Amino acid sequence: MTVETVETVMGRPLLPLRQFVLKMHSRCDLACDHCYVYEHADQSWSRRPVVVSDEVLRRTAERIAEHAGAHGLAAVHVVLHGGEPLLAGRARLRRAATELTAALSGVCELDLRIHTNAVTLDERFLDLFDEFGIKVGVSLDGDRAANDLHRRYADGRSSHDRVLRGIALLNRPRHRHLFAGILCTVDLRNDPVAVHDALAALAPPRVDFLLPHATWDEPPARPAGDTDGTAYARWLLAVHDRWTATGRAMDVRMFDSVLRTLRGESSLTESLGLAPADLAVIETDGTFEQADSLKTAHDGAPATGLDVFANSLDEVAGHPGIVARQQGLDGLSEQCRTCPVVRSCGGGLYAHRYRSDGSGFRNPSVYCSDLLALITDLRDRHMTDQSARPALAGHHLAELATGRGSGATVDLLARHQLALARELLGLVRHGTTLAPAAEDGQEAGDTQAAWDTLTALDSEAPEAVDRVLAHPYARSWALSALGARPPAGPTGSVAGASATAARGMAEIAAAAALRAGRRASVVVPVHAGLLRLPTLGTLTVEPGTERALVRTDVDGCTVRAGDRTYTIARSGCEDPAWRGSRRFELDGWSVTLEDTDPWRDCHGHPAHPRLTEGEAEAWRADLTEAWAWIRRELPAYAPGIAAALRMITPLTLSPEGADISSAARDAFGAVAIARPSAPETLALLLVHEFQHVKLGAVLDLVDLYDPACDTLFYAPWRPDPRPLEGLLQGTYAHLAVVDFWRARWRDQTAEAVGTLVDSGALTEAGKSFVAGLREALATDEVSAEALRAARLAAEEHRRTVRP
């Protein structure tokens, strides 16, 4: 941990808690027979208040804020839970969100979520969640047959249809950004492929497959032929193979965690890896408990004897039960410590180790053989250089070939680009000669220190590192550092490329540390008077400054450059030397207006200098209208844009007033546009250029043509012959242009038809005639005559421009 603490427990520093489960309601409207709250050893739910009180909510928010402030936490994660939390009602959920938001304002970021069975989820709940940014996770075990094995009402009725209705609401464009994923409990009686396909069809961003809770006293159900105890591993591997074969259309936390830990990175789940536990539960009566999964061990297993009224979260963090789960290897049984996959397995979920013979939790997991088989198989079959890269399946390629692309499919492209950025970063670190050291080795030491900081951050806060590496211009930097492009230094010189490599790594490390809110010190080389923090902005420093010391913490950072010290708060900086990136939160789309990053000047047209506040607000207004038009008239393109178009780089206007736009081949997630005169034109340029972005990512994954082909081909929209990739790119982009003009003229013609209908001057024959116009418009088909005219025009153009 990077946070200094003054208190120790059992000779170790007290590790702060970062995750909290807040019980809103202690009862449920379903009667799932595998529920650890009601059906397992601990029955304390029956003695709890049904609904959490206002006073418990207030004290809980105060305790979390107190703890976060004392330990300098950058963010805390709170899950509203139950029972079934929706039973608490909208007013109570609003009170919880309001108390937490108010208490943590100015202290740290709040990641607020709710986990629900979704049977009563409706638009009013989702409007509330949208107001507070509450992400929604849903429990569902697969198709109807799989789900109804366990998740039924008390009278035996199926819950499946109602859950699917709730997920359908979450998948609507206005609420899609709230969908956190699906939790699925494994049952060996279910077909693993059918379960995967049923869940994937709902397009969740993530699925958690959970092993059913069990202990050595109450072992999991296994088929009679499971002599080696690996039936759960075989089931999960069947899911994994289907997941891989279909292009990993969604994240699967278990598989992603195994692959991450095999690479030495952090796990994404408490059931794998050696990361210390950092979670506490607050029950409806205000008592603190350990993880809910312990309810499966014995009655009272999760109890701490502490509560929000009398005890601080530091006291909870020091509880022996919490501390026992923070010992890493030292906290495991001897058998686990000598296991070859212990750093991935981590002993499995703590609750699954319990045995009542006096050994308690100091045992291997009851799923030990399954976990060993699963991790070993994934390691042996998939840990190649390409194992971390998402694959593009045939149905994804077919979908993208239409010119469109769902959010899940385009997100797949984005995840591949992130994997590629990580690989390029590794190549820069290990495949280039970094800046030559001074006599005292200071530069080399600074570069190594920056790399060490980045490595530590990737273990402790991988999401912050991913956020920076997903910056569209990270790849432009990496290619320059590798010599594939002219470096930002003396053209063609080794010193220029190596200096570019050293500078970029330090910039990435400092930006990731600032985003994570972690304490770090990074020496960042300064180029052309600018200190760059990718995804965040640039700082103009004193002329002649060669290096700056960036110190980050939970509040932001200080920069010592030359004789001056600058302060940059995480929430922004008023210093005129700081130019922060402007991020716009539109309706279901978060996009940054990038007018600071020096690497943005890679689009073949001059980048616009820093915008004034008025110019930036004009961009915001136009983007808001353009995005609304795309969502309304080109809804098939909107999900892909929302999933992966992260950045718009303003270009300088053409002297002739012509529209200018561009997409750089190696800047996935960004398009560059000179602000046009009308929002509709901006909409056209956005969909047009994002086609180039998507196709570039596809070409990184799939060979669509013979790269040895050097023939030039005629493109009807250009006078000059084009190489095959240029023709392919232009054709793909024009699919969106065709849809744009069809939508635009349909929209305008429909408006004109409406005006005719409302005129009050049509005769009966005229009304019938206009009704025919409306019906023809509804079919949205291009007539044979129009097609013939278009072909004649194209042929005339061909004769004019070709020799």
Side-chain angles (χ1 to χ4, degrees):
M1 308 295 292
T2 59
V3 176
E4 297 177 1
T5 57
V6 296
E7 187 175 352
T8 62
V9 179
M10 298 172 60
R12 296 174 179 266
L14 185 150
L15 301 182
L17 303 173
R18 303 172 189 273
Q19 301 184 68
F20 305 94
V21 173
L22 176 55
K23 296 301 187 77
M24 299 297 300
H25 200 281
S26 64
R27 305 299 189 267
C28 188
D29 42 6
L30 296 183
C32 307
D33 59 17
H34 58 6
C35 180
Y36 57 81
V37 174
Y38 306 110
E39 302 297 331
H40 285 231
D42 184 270
Q43 292 292 299
S44 57
W45 66 270
S46 61
R47 303 184 292 273
R48 309 276 189 209
V50 173
V51 183
V52 67
S53 68
D54 288 350
E55 184 62 14
V56 167
L57 292 177
R58 184 180 64 81
R59 291 297 292 150
T60 296
E62 291 172 351
R63 290 297 190 191
I64 294 174
E66 171 187 73
H67 189 69
H71 293 277
L73 302 184
V76 295
H77 310 273
V78 181
V79 180
L80 307 179
H81 212 282
E84 170 48 48
L86 297 187
L87 293 179
R90 280 175 288 278
R92 186 70 52 184
L93 292 171
R94 175 179 290 278
R95 181 64 180 266
T98 301
E99 292 283 2
L100 289 164
T101 302
L104 290 164
S105 177
V107 178
C108 70
E109 292 184 11
L110 170 63
D111 177 13
L112 187 55
R113 297 173 181 249
I114 190 167
H115 193 84
T116 172
N117 59 34
V119 297
T120 59
L121 189 64
D122 60 21
E123 287 280 3
R124 289 188 295 168
F125 275 123
L126 289 173
D127 287 342
L128 171 65
F129 300 158
D130 190 31
E131 179 182 346
F132 288 94
I134 303 173
K135 300 296 180 64
V136 184
V138 177
S139 295
L140 181 68
D141 287 347
D143 57 16
R144 180 185 297 275
N147 196 69
D148 289 353
L149 278 178
H150 302 286
R151 298 187 186 277
R152 290 178 171 269
Y153 289 93
D155 61 5
R157 287 180 296 126
S158 169
S159 66
H160 189 258
D161 288 343
R162 295 181 69 90
V163 178
L164 260 57
R165 185 185 66 180
I167 292 176
L169 292 175
L170 271 171
N171 268 323
R172 290 181 177 177
R174 65 176 293 199
H175 298 310
R176 172 70 187 179
H177 64 290
L178 299 176
F179 195 3
I182 293 175
L183 183 149
C184 171
T185 301
V186 174
D187 190 309
L188 297 179
R189 293 172 291 177
N190 295 327
D191 179 350
V193 172
V195 168
H196 170 278
D197 289 355
L199 298 179
L202 301 174
R206 168 174 283 169
V207 171
D208 285 353
F209 288 103
L210 300 184
L211 295 169
H213 286 314
T215 67
W216 289 102
D217 294 341
E218 297 288 339
R222 293 184 180 275
D226 187 23
T227 56
D228 61 353
T230 62
Y232 286 91
R234 293 194 298 274
W235 196 96
L236 288 166
L237 286 168
V239 172
H240 176 272
D241 290 346
R242 181 66 170 176
W243 178 61
T244 301
T246 54
R248 304 183 185 182
M250 58 203 177
D251 289 341
V252 176
R253 195 191 298 263
M254 176 180 285
F255 302 149
D256 288 339
S257 292
V258 170
L259 294 175
R260 286 178 60 87
T261 53
L262 286 172
R263 295 193 300 267
E265 301 172 15
S266 59
S267 173
L268 303 173
T269 171
E270 65 171 332
S271 61
L272 293 167
L274 292 170
D278 61 356
L279 179 144
V281 178
I282 301 94
E283 291 285 355
T284 54
D285 59 358
T287 55
F288 287 117
E289 290 204 337
Q290 302 172 62
D292 262 6
S293 57
L294 291 177
K295 293 179 182 293
T296 199
H298 61 83
D299 196 22
T304 64
L306 309 173
D307 64 65
V308 296
F309 301 105
N311 306 102
S312 71
L313 278 166
D314 273 10
E315 292 176 84
V316 179
H319 185 275
I322 300 276
V323 173
R325 301 174 62 204
Q326 298 178 334
Q327 307 303 306
L329 280 173
D330 294 341
L332 300 181
S333 67
E334 182 178 353
Q335 179 180 335
C336 288
R337 291 198 300 271
T338 59
C339 177
V341 300
V342 64
R343 295 193 178 277
S344 270
C345 172
L349 190 68
Y350 191 74
H352 295 172
R353 308 175 199 170
Y354 182 73
R355 193 192 298 265
S356 62
D357 61 359
S359 59
F361 295 96
R362 208 169 181 86
N363 298 288
S365 169
V366 72
Y367 291 103
C368 177
S369 297
D370 293 291
L371 293 171
L372 177 62
L374 174 68
I375 295 168
T376 301
D377 193 282
L378 293 179
R379 181 195 64 195
D380 293 345
R381 287 196 291 159
H382 302 289
M383 285 311 294
T384 66
D385 288 342
Q386 299 298 315
S387 65
R389 285 197 183 188
L392 198 64
H395 71 273
H396 292 128
L397 197 61
E399 178 187 327
L400 290 164
T402 67
R404 289 73 179 267
S406 66
T409 297
V410 176
D411 181 65
L412 189 68
L413 297 178
R415 287 191 284 125
H416 176 267
Q417 291 291 308
L418 176 59
L420 183 59
R422 283 182 166 274
E423 291 178 19
L424 287 171
L425 178 66
L427 287 173
V428 170
R429 177 65 183 90
H430 300 294
T432 62
T433 302
L434 296 178
E439 291 182 1
D440 61 359
Q442 184 64 50
E443 286 88 345
D446 291 342
T447 300
Q448 182 61 46
W451 179 256
D452 291 343
T453 296
L454 189 57
T455 301
L457 285 168
D458 200 32
S459 175
E460 298 172 2
E463 66 286 347
V465 177
D466 283 349
R467 180 78 176 272
V468 178
L469 289 179
H471 184 50
Y473 301 120
R475 185 169 170 183
S476 299
W477 158 76
L479 291 173
S480 293
L482 291 167
R485 285 184 173 174
T491 302
S493 71
V494 174
S498 62
T500 296
R503 185 173 71 249
M505 276 195 293
E507 292 168 343
I508 291 170
L514 182 54
R515 281 202 168 277
R518 302 301 177 94
R519 289 181 179 171
S521 296
V522 183
V523 176
V524 182
V526 173
H527 178 67
L530 286 180
L531 171 73
R532 171 180 176 258
L533 294 177
T535 73
L536 296 167
T538 59
L539 183 72
T540 302
V541 299
E542 293 182 348
T545 302
E546 295 182 353
R547 298 186 303 161
L549 176 62
V550 180
R551 296 183 181 274
T552 64
D553 58 26
V554 66
D555 296 318
C557 73
T558 60
V559 178
R560 180 68 179 176
D563 296 328
R564 281 199 59 186
T565 298
Y566 307 84
T567 299
I568 304 173
R570 295 184 75 218
S571 58
C573 177
E574 298 300 325
D575 194 317
W578 172 250
R579 296 180 172 183
S581 297
R582 296 179 172 102
R583 187 172 180 83
F584 299 154
E585 297 292 338
L586 306 182
D587 188 6
W589 181 31
S590 297
V591 63
T592 295
L593 198 63
E594 180 56 86
D595 59 352
T596 67
D597 195 309
W599 286 103
R600 75 190 189 280
D601 206 357
C602 63
H603 290 278
H605 300 279
H608 199 290
R610 176 68 167 181
L611 300 171
T612 67
E613 290 302 318
E615 290 170 332
E617 284 305 309
W619 265 101
R620 182 200 295 270
D622 284 358
L623 281 169
T624 300
E625 289 191 43
W627 177 236
W629 197 93
I630 291 170
R631 294 185 69 187
R632 183 179 68 252
E633 301 295 345
L634 296 173
Y637 291 87
I641 290 174
L645 183 53
R646 306 181 187 93
M647 193 164 290
I648 297 170
T649 292
L651 299 175
T652 57
L653 295 172
S654 163
E656 300 81 19
D659 293 325
I660 300 176
S661 63
S662 174
R665 178 68 171 80
D666 298 320
F668 178 85
V671 299
I673 298 173
R675 181 171 159 252
S677 58
E680 271 190 27
T681 305
L682 180 56
L684 169 61
L685 298 178
L686 286 170
V687 295
H688 174 94
E689 295 302 340
F690 191 62
Q691 294 294 92
H692 291 301
V693 172
K694 287 189 295 185
L695 184 56
V698 170
L699 291 172
D700 283 337
L701 278 163
V702 183
D703 291 329
L704 297 182
Y705 62 90
D706 182 356
C709 176
D710 57 4
T711 305
L712 298 180
F713 298 87
Y714 167 70
W717 47 83
R718 292 184 63 137
D720 55 324
R722 305 290 292 153
L724 193 61
E725 181 176 344
L727 180 61
L728 180 61
Q729 285 276 6
T731 304
Y732 194 67
H734 276 75
L735 284 177
V737 174
V738 169
D739 282 342
F740 172 89
W741 285 108
R742 180 185 293 121
R744 181 174 183 182
W745 288 114
R746 181 185 64 233
D747 187 42
Q748 293 182 354
T749 307
E751 182 180 355
V753 168
T755 302
L756 288 168
V757 170
D758 296 338
S759 68
L762 294 178
T763 65
E764 290 304 315
K767 292 177 182 177
S768 177
F769 186 82
V770 171
L773 294 179
R774 176 169 279 169
E775 183 178 351
L777 183 64
T779 63
D780 198 27
E781 294 180 354
V782 179
S783 70
E785 180 60 28
L787 286 174
R788 188 175 67 83
R791 292 190 184 105
L792 289 173
E795 181 60 33
E796 177 63 26
H797 179 70
R798 182 180 294 110
R799 286 195 301 270
T800 302
V801 301
R802 296 190 72 180

